[in-house]
Amino acid sequence: MEVTRSEKKEIVKWINCAKCVAILAVLLDHTHKILFTNEKIEWASYFSVSLFVLISGITTYKTRAKNLALNGFRAYWQKVFGILTGYLIATILYTIAEYGYFDFETFMDLLIHFNASGPLYFVLLYLQLMLIHRPLLYFLEKNRKLQVFYEMILLVIVVIFASYSVKYTNIMHVYGGGGKLFGATYLILFYVGMLLEKYVFSGRDFSIGKSLICMVSFGILWLTWWQILCEKQFALEQVLGNIFGVGLNPPGVTLMISAMFMLFLCFGLFTWLERSNIIGRKLVELVNYIGCQSMYIFLFHRLILDYFLVKYVHFESRWLMRGCYLICMIVGSIMIGGAVELFTKFIKNISLPTT
């Protein structure tokens, strides 16, 4: 989810647009039974975090040159500094909002367990994926005979490890993939995202016709898979012997497929819109901007939802309420994120007097 400023120029717009789709799915998931009761919409949103992790793999491989040029600690710090700063401030705000005052002991307990708010488990998941990203990059950058064969062998190893991690690892009882070593099945998605960037997306210019075909075909595939998900739910996980657990978080094969279909749907849709006409390009610019702010929306939307909107904002019109809630969560989170960035710049610019 997090991309450093120096890397943003290298990230193409469709990737940020896919982040926007993922964060909108997160908002839908978290407003179930508040803004809507249709369970089909909830099932449609479950690809969200899996899509984020696929995108993280893509962007990590895309920015590999700068990553590998730095030493290990500096590369890791560049990757995690932004999300750690946001997480620290988010935990402070959630603590104050929940208890009405700041208690340091409570704050530290929430901070190390990543449970000041439900979505914050993702921070620990991201920190773990960034710990392992350099070994994966070094492996993928090897130039040797049968390289593709070795990469497929590693994929099999990652799948086996993910199955083990789901069942036999636990990190401080943190929710979902955050509490599993290297995210369990999220590691599969992360590695697959790297492979997709290396062999599918990188350095390839897709025509508007190919984008349209990709959009239509994967749109149909995703809609079909969504209907299967609504009807059968996680039946596929049971058929496979629950090798990845129940399949929700960490995701099983069902949600991984859903996220893959959505990734290619986003690729086709937004590369097509960007080349279609001025309205399409303007829409892509807007969606791209929201996608760039997805980290802050992820960190702060529950603060706005749980402690302001649910308590104080109600309308007779369900559609007016939906629009108001979504706009407030997006705009409010971006505003808080802007304040976080200003604070971060201020801290970086402080120079202590020399003696």
Side-chain angles (χ1 to χ4, degrees):
M1 188 186 300
E2 171 67 358
V3 179
T4 62
R5 288 184 178 276
S6 61
E7 295 170 343
K8 283 182 180 177
K9 293 180 180 179
E10 298 184 21
I11 307 303
V12 293
K13 289 179 181 177
W14 80 264
I15 295 177
N16 286 326
C17 290
K19 289 183 185 179
C20 178
V21 171
I23 198 62
L24 290 177
V26 169
L27 300 186
L28 284 178
D29 182 20
H30 293 167
T31 53
H32 180 234
K33 296 184 178 178
I34 299 173
L35 299 181
F36 63 92
T37 57
N38 189 333
E39 290 191 359
K40 286 189 174 183
I41 298 176
E42 185 179 24
W43 284 107
S45 70
Y46 282 166
F47 66 83
S48 57
V49 178
S50 298
L51 180 57
F52 270 129
V53 175
L54 274 172
I55 295 168
S56 293
I58 291 171
T59 56
T60 297
Y61 190 80
K62 184 177 283 293
T63 56
R64 64 194 179 281
K66 290 180 180 178
N67 254 287
L68 296 177
L70 301 172
N71 66 55
F73 176 78
R74 188 175 179 187
Y76 182 75
W77 184 244
Q78 273 201 1
K79 283 286 187 183
V80 303
F81 176 76
I83 198 169
L84 277 178
T85 304
Y87 171 65
L88 178 66
I89 294 173
T91 305
I92 293 172
L93 294 178
Y94 280 111
T95 304
I96 295 172
E98 178 65 24
Y99 298 99
Y101 62 95
F102 180 77
D103 178 79
F104 185 74
E105 183 177 356
T106 301
F107 161 73
M108 287 302 299
D109 182 69
L110 295 173
L111 186 73
I112 64 174
H113 289 96
F114 297 85
N115 61 353
S117 181
L120 297 183
Y121 77 89
F122 183 85
V123 177
L124 181 56
L125 168 62
Y126 186 81
L127 295 179
Q128 293 188 75
L129 292 176
M130 291 304 104
L131 272 177
I132 203 170
H133 84 279
R134 280 174 71 87
L136 293 176
L137 285 177
Y138 278 122
F139 185 87
L140 291 174
E141 285 297 275
K142 289 282 186 180
N143 186 15
R144 57 191 170 191
K145 293 181 179 179
L146 302 177
Q147 173 66 12
V148 175
F149 173 76
Y150 288 120
E151 290 168 356
M152 292 303 103
I153 292 296
L154 180 56
L155 178 59
V156 172
I157 294 171
V158 167
V159 169
I160 294 170
F161 170 80
S163 180
Y164 174 85
S165 180
V166 166
K167 298 174 182 177
Y168 302 111
T169 68
N170 171 50
I171 302 176
M172 298 183 296
H173 299 285
V174 174
Y175 172 73
K180 301 299 180 181
L181 185 60
F182 296 123
T185 53
Y186 285 118
L187 180 60
I188 300 174
L189 291 165
F190 186 67
Y191 181 59
V192 168
M194 289 182 163
L195 291 174
L196 288 174
E197 174 58 23
K198 181 175 183 179
Y199 291 109
V200 179
F201 301 122
S202 180
R204 289 165 179 81
D205 186 22
F206 290 82
S207 66
I208 190 169
K210 290 181 179 179
S211 294
L212 185 59
I213 292 171
C214 185
M215 176 185 70
V216 173
S217 58
F218 280 96
I220 293 171
L221 285 171
W222 186 85
L223 288 170
T224 303
W225 195 251
W226 170 40
Q227 289 303 312
I228 294 172
L229 182 58
C230 291
E231 294 175 11
K232 304 295 184 180
Q233 300 182 5
F234 295 117
L236 179 58
E237 315 310 320
Q238 297 176 17
V239 171
L240 295 173
N242 292 322
I243 59 171
F244 298 134
V246 296
L248 180 60
N249 196 336
V253 175
T254 303
L255 294 187
M256 286 192 275
I257 292 173
S258 179
M260 285 286 291
F261 287 164
M262 181 54 68
L263 177 73
F264 281 94
L265 170 57
C266 289
F267 169 78
L269 172 61
F270 293 111
T271 54
W272 174 71
L273 281 174
E274 193 174 7
R275 301 179 185 186
S276 57
N277 53 49
I278 188 169
I279 297 176
R281 289 192 292 274
K282 291 293 183 182
L283 179 60
V284 167
E285 289 292 340
L286 174 62
V287 178
N288 172 74
Y289 174 76
I290 296 174
C292 289
Q293 307 299 318
S294 59
M295 180 187 75
Y296 294 126
I297 300 171
F298 200 97
L299 289 174
F300 299 116
H301 74 276
R302 288 300 296 257
L303 182 71
I304 297 166
L305 175 65
D306 295 339
Y307 299 101
F308 174 67
L309 293 172
V310 171
K311 289 185 176 181
Y312 304 113
V313 180
H314 301 279
F315 298 105
E316 291 294 329
S317 170
R318 178 69 69 174
W319 282 105
L320 180 60
M321 190 169 168
R322 288 167 181 164
C324 178
Y325 271 49
L326 291 175
I327 291 172
C328 286
M329 284 188 287
I330 293 170
V331 175
S333 298
I334 292 173
M335 291 175 65
I336 297 173
V340 170
E341 289 192 349
L342 288 175
F343 175 76
T344 303
K345 286 181 182 178
F346 174 74
I347 295 298
K348 284 183 175 180
N349 291 332
I350 290 178
S351 57
L352 297 177
T354 56
T355 56

